Amino acid sequence: VFEFVLELKAPILSLQTLRTNSGFFYNHIDPYFGSSDIRTIQYIDYQRFANDLLSGKASGRPLKPKTVKNIFNVLAGIYKLAR
């Protein structure tokens, strides 16, 4: 699904934004959720993910709230297409 999101957004996003979003997906979202069907992920799962990113559990180092928000923007784009 993520590759489809990138394909759709490529014409309107800068190359740097596409790279950043890809990094968010491949470094944080995909390792955490793996092959889970995004339509089955509940609010509590998203909250745990955010908490783990902020505490460093998910990435090995704590991330800043703004970075976590940016990661969630990528996740929201994936979720919108998966519905």
Side-chain angles (χ1 to χ4, degrees), residues 6 13-22:
L6 284 182
L13 296 177
S14 72
L15 183 58
Q16 184 58 45
T17 300
L18 291 171
R19 285 182 186 150
T20 300
N21 289 352
S22 292

Side-chain angles (χ1 to χ4, degrees), residues 10-62:
I12 59 172
L13 296 177
S14 72
L15 183 58
Q16 184 58 45
T17 300
L18 291 171
R19 285 182 186 150
T20 300
N21 289 352
S22 292
F24 288 155
F25 179 77
Y26 291 113
N27 294 324
H28 302 289
I29 298 168
D30 191 45
Y32 193 88
F33 291 108
S35 61
S36 300
D37 184 346
I38 195 162
R39 293 169 294 186
T40 65
I41 299 171
Q42 301 295 314
Y43 172 81
I44 190 75
D45 301 314
Y46 291 118
Q47 188 59 56
R48 283 189 184 122
F49 179 48
N51 293 346
D52 288 350
L53 290 171
L54 290 166
S55 71
K57 278 185 178 178
S59 61
R61 61 182 168 80

